[in-house]
Amino acid sequence: MTDPIFPPSAEVAANAHADAKKYDEMYAASVNDPEAFWAEHGKRLDWMTPYTKVKNTTFEYPDVSIKWYEDGELNVCVNCVDRHLETRGDQVAIIWESDEPGGDEKITYKKLHQEVSKLANVYKSLGVKKGDRVVLYMPMIPEAAYAMLACARIGAIHSIVFGGFSPDALASRIADSEAALVVTADEGPRGGRAVGLKKNVDAALDICGDVTTLVVARTGGGPGNKEGRDHDYATLMADASPDCPAEKMNAEDPLFVLYTSGSTGKPKGVVHTSGGYLVSASMTHQYTFDYHDGDVYWCTADVGWITGHSYIVYGPLANGATTLMFEGTPTYPDASRFWQVCEKHKVNQFYTAPTAIRSLMALGDVPVNKCDLSALKVLGTVGEPINPEAWNWYHNVVGKGKVPIVDTWWQTETGAHMMTPLPGAIATKPGSATKPFFGVQPVVLDPTTGKEITTQEAEGVLAIKDSWPSQMRTVYGDHERFVNTYFAAYKGYYFTEDGCRRDKDGYYWITGRVDDVLNVSGHRMGTAEIESALVAHPNVAEAAVVGYPHAVKGQGIYCYVTLNVGVEPSDDLRVELRNWVRKQIGPVASPDLIQWAPGLPKTRSGKIMRRILRKVAEDDFGSLGDTSTLAEPEVVDDLIANRMNRG
Ligand code: WTA
């Protein structure tokens, strides 16, 4: 069987930043002489002190070290804001669309410069200095972008915590990063409801101790400010000077920390630095979306995730783009909302997640067809493998069969797109992230031998052979963990923790995580985190969490729970445990299915056999494989008899 293939149209190719020939040439140059290639493309930024060194990287275990443009100096905020003032001061930088239809705001580069500079001065007045960490817990409002850029302006390091995380999760991130300031809003409207952000911050600070807090009044609701600790954003901004010189930063100074889930332990603080990160974020934004001056670009992610960092704020603004920021949800007030926003603002590039596409697909074609989507030039997806059915719907119904789709594979750790078609250059196949971006050298490794599979067709684990500019540099406060997580399993490579297949045309197909990380609605979640939340409940003796296929979310969260002796299982207890996990981690980690398990399948040495738990959760227990090493094989029969996901 051959996969359907969609070549770029001649018209798109003719006007694109890269056609097939140019992609081949640039890709070859990028891997044959990375120094020369990145020396050239580093010039897309404005440097205060030009770099003379380009690449200084080694993946050699345990001496992993990654430096790009290490003697260059720049300021990320200047690159995203100030440098555009002369040529496009009156151009719209950010279009903000509110949760309620009808509300929007257009922020020009001039205005962006003013707001960011004032906020940077407010930070200073609150004692924030270069190198300090600032935690942002924000709704999707322009102030979230101001808050990020103001950090960059004075060299403070932001750490954004997604608004769907609970006070407990927020507290641990505030504590881990030893934040000097928390920026939040009273409430965040989403889908017609108000998320109690300030309420959560208050609860978090009760846990981790008081930290100076700056509060944007978005709704006027919420618990009110605490004397001496909390400051009203508007009040301080009213008195702030719009003149704030930008700090000169080394290319390798951290720009931000972003916590993400791994297979073990608590979330890791992924550290991205200033120079290389911005080179990759801006270059991918330009090429992947084939962004041209004057285009209106919309990424529907939340700034709390890496996609929001690189593709709502840093990449687009570094390119002087018009970036749309949306406060709401795809289906509020109705199933047409995304498409109404596209029509209203004449969106040219639209970037969303497969889970959103699947949930909108389930609502039929009418809500899409009601809207004029003729401005669309590129459609993008990110976050998880996109199933061909969803891809085809996106292509046929949203793109009317004409708009190229870019399926972008990358990670919080990679900072920017790693594999993706370029609209004018690479023919697409539904479900494949296709080919590597410039400078990215993917390899498929045999998971047992760790050797590169050199045949064109290959299946194994995905690793990357050499560094790229926006690679994460370390785990905040724990370099050893960085080295051991990504460079120990397969020596000499960056291990992505994804499985993949390479087909006869050299196209890559990501098959999903090979570690214990779940991808629920495109959100990364560690099974270990959910398990430790469950066992922290007084009635729970033991818990094991696995993913199972979910029609809309991609993966659902399936929990096996062993209760303490004497505790009766009940539906009420199920609800209680679900709420408990929501409280410990946040609504994003809400269990979908909880099965009472009197025992878990363990080897004689006590190791839980997750393979069996996954199979039962998948409702595919005909092929459990070898169970002879189990200490008590009969627990499996009980698990099967009481399974929760019956297809
Ligand atoms: C998955 C999101 C298939 C993958 C930018 C990766 C994808 C994890 C794709 C990173 C894609 C992301 N096709 N899988 N186009 N994009 N993934 O850190 O498993 O939230 O390792 O970064 O999402 O998730 P993260």
Side-chain angles (χ1 to χ4, degrees):
M1 247 189 47
T2 50
D3 296 300
I5 186 152
F6 298 84
S9 78
E11 192 196 333
V12 171
N15 299 306
H17 291 298
D19 59 9
K21 183 162 167 285
K22 179 127 184 249
Y23 168 80
D24 288 343
E25 284 167 11
M26 283 178 74
Y27 184 75
S30 75
V31 298
N32 294 339
D33 191 350
E35 287 270 344
F37 183 86
W38 291 112
E40 177 59 28
H41 290 283
K43 292 186 201 149
R44 59 186 299 118
L45 302 185
D46 282 3
W47 296 83
M48 293 164 162
T49 309
Y51 47 86
T52 66
K53 299 184 183 137
V54 176
K55 180 174 186 283
N56 180 4
T57 66
T58 170
F59 285 1
E60 213 51 59
Y61 183 85
D63 305 314
V64 178
S65 158
I66 296 151
K67 292 184 180 139
W68 285 87
Y69 308 108
E70 62 184 297
D71 61 350
E73 292 178 304
L74 80 170
N75 184 282
V76 167
C77 180
V78 167
N79 275 279
C80 291
V81 184
D82 304 42
R83 69 161 166 165
H84 305 309
L85 290 178
E86 207 173 302
T87 50
R88 49 178 105 236
D90 295 321
Q91 183 204 303
V92 175
I94 299 175
I95 299 175
W96 177 72
E97 170 77 19
S98 74
D99 189 44
E100 292 298 333
D104 60 25
E105 200 182 325
K106 293 188 171 135
I107 297 128
T108 62
Y109 274 95
K110 225 183 248 165
K111 162 109 177 182
L112 182 62
H113 179 252
Q114 253 175 29
E115 297 298 314
V116 170
S117 303
K118 283 202 278 181
L119 184 53
N121 280 326
V122 168
Y123 284 176
K124 286 190 189 168
S125 75
L126 295 172
V128 180
K129 297 180 302 295
K130 178 174 174 174
D132 283 351
R133 274 78 52 213
V134 176
V135 166
L136 313 183
Y137 188 66
M138 298 288 279
M140 288 289 289
I141 53 178
E143 287 81 355
Y146 305 162
M148 296 164 77
L149 293 163
C151 284
R153 193 163 193 88
I154 63 169
I157 302 165
H158 61 71
S159 173
I160 308 189
V161 179
F162 174 59
F165 281 116
S166 70
D168 294 61
L170 175 60
S172 77
R173 285 157 172 84
I174 294 172
D176 190 74
S177 63
E178 299 170 292
L181 176 72
V182 175
V183 187
T184 190
D186 50 1
E187 295 180 309
R190 270 197 96 235
R193 288 196 306 232
V195 181
L197 296 168
K198 176 60 165 54
K199 185 169 131 258
N200 288 350
V201 169
D202 285 356
L205 298 183
D206 281 343
I207 300 167
C208 67
D210 275 353
V211 175
T212 306
T213 298
L214 186 62
V215 188
V216 179
R218 167 68 185 94
T219 65
N225 289 346
K226 180 174 162 182
E227 191 64 42
R229 183 193 71 185
D230 302 341
H231 303 267
D232 176 56
Y233 182 95
T235 310
L236 298 191
M237 287 290 275
D239 294 333
S241 150
D243 181 19
C244 176
E247 199 68 42
K248 200 189 256 188
M249 305 297 288
N250 181 271
E252 283 300 327
D253 282 335
L255 176 64
F256 64 84
V257 178
L258 181 58
Y259 285 82
T260 192
S261 297
S263 37
T264 54
K266 51 179 192 159
K268 301 180 279 279
V270 169
V271 176
H272 281 291
T273 57
S274 305
Y277 170 78
L278 200 62
V279 170
S280 294
S282 66
M283 189 164 176
T284 48
H285 172 261
Q286 180 194 340
Y287 280 89
T288 303
F289 300 111
D290 197 35
Y291 186 88
H292 290 262
D293 263 355
D295 286 347
V296 174
Y297 158 90
W298 180 18
C299 165
T300 71
D302 188 283
V303 289
W305 307 111
I306 190 70
T307 307
H309 285 63
S310 301
Y311 298 111
I312 295 176
V313 178
Y314 290 117
L317 295 179
N319 291 337
T322 298
T323 180
L324 195 149
M325 193 173 182
F326 177 44
E327 188 180 40
T329 61
T331 51
Y332 178 80
D334 61 51
S336 261
R337 186 65 192 279
F338 264 7
W339 320 121
Q340 282 159 8
V341 175
C342 284
E343 173 179 304
K344 175 177 173 191
H345 298 291
K346 302 195 172 48
V347 169
N348 300 117
Q349 291 92 359
F350 177 75
Y351 189 31
T352 195
T355 183
I357 298 169
R358 286 191 298 264
S359 66
L360 292 168
M361 180 171 80
L363 302 172
D365 303 355
V366 176
V368 189
N369 292 337
K370 278 206 282 211
C371 301
D372 175 5
L373 301 180
S374 57
L376 286 174
K377 294 196 284 191
V378 176
L379 295 170
T381 88
V382 57
E384 55 177 314
I386 179 163
N387 47 313
E389 197 194 356
W391 195 100
N392 285 322
W393 184 81
Y394 203 28
H395 179 73
N396 292 324
V397 180
V398 180
K400 317 294 176 214
K402 289 189 296 221
V403 182
I405 295 183
V406 291
D407 175 355
T408 62
W409 172 82
W410 59 298
Q411 310 176 297
T412 305
E413 293 87 339
T414 70
H417 300 154
M418 297 292 276
M419 291 209 260
T420 176
L422 304 184
I426 297 171
T428 53
K429 300 184 188 186
S432 169
T434 73
K435 301 267 189 164
F437 192 74
F438 308 129
V440 175
Q441 300 185 52
V443 291
V444 183
L445 304 181
D446 178 321
T448 24
T449 64
K451 292 257 172 344
E452 258 180 59
I453 305 176
T454 51
T455 48
Q456 179 84 317
E457 287 184 70
E459 179 141 18
V461 296
L462 175 64
I464 313 289
K465 208 167 162 166
D466 197 1
S467 185
W468 60 97
S470 59
Q471 183 169 21
M472 84 181 269
R473 301 302 197 255
T474 191
V475 169
Y476 187 75
D478 195 349
H479 192 66
E480 212 174 302
R481 189 167 176 203
F482 171 62
V483 174
N484 287 327
T485 306
Y486 304 104
F487 302 92
Y490 303 101
K491 299 281 178 336
Y493 299 97
Y494 165 78
F495 175 38
T496 65
E497 303 177 297
D498 275 322
C500 94
R501 178 166 74 78
R502 187 170 54 217
D503 72 13
K504 60 178 177 18
D505 300 319
Y507 275 48
Y508 290 85
W509 301 73
I510 307 297
T511 51
R513 303 285 299 193
V514 295
D515 57 4
D516 293 321
V517 167
L518 305 182
N519 195 328
V520 181
S521 300
H523 298 161
R524 248 170 97 163
M525 219 86 60
T527 50
E529 284 166 71
I530 305 171
E531 287 162 5
S532 63
L534 284 167
V535 296
H537 189 278
N539 290 343
V540 174
E542 209 173 9
V545 173
V546 297
Y548 71 101
H550 188 288
V552 172
K553 299 180 182 182
Q555 265 187 317
I557 301 177
Y558 194 115
C559 310
Y560 296 91
V561 172
T562 310
L563 295 170
N564 283 325
V565 179
V567 178
E568 280 302 312
S570 67
D571 283 343
D572 285 348
L573 186 54
R574 262 204 192 96
V575 173
E576 186 178 325
L577 288 182
R578 188 167 294 133
N579 289 336
W580 174 266
V581 174
R582 290 168 71 94
K583 185 183 163 296
Q584 297 256 319
I585 306 175
V588 282
S590 216
D592 292 286
L593 297 172
I594 298 176
Q595 174 171 356
W596 307 121
L600 294 171
K602 290 183 189 167
T603 61
R604 285 187 204 98
S605 59
K607 196 169 156 9
I608 294 176
M609 292 187 73
R610 295 178 160 275
R611 178 174 53 82
I612 293 176
L613 294 177
R614 275 190 214 111
K615 286 278 181 197
V616 174
E618 284 164 15
D619 198 23
D620 171 25
F621 47 86
S623 55
L624 286 183
D626 185 10
T627 54
S628 64
T629 56
L630 284 177
E632 296 171 87
E634 58 287 356
V635 303
V636 177
D637 299 330
D638 180 85
L639 292 180
I640 293 174
N642 294 300
R643 70 193 187 280
M644 304 289 292
N645 171 31
R646 291 166 193 255

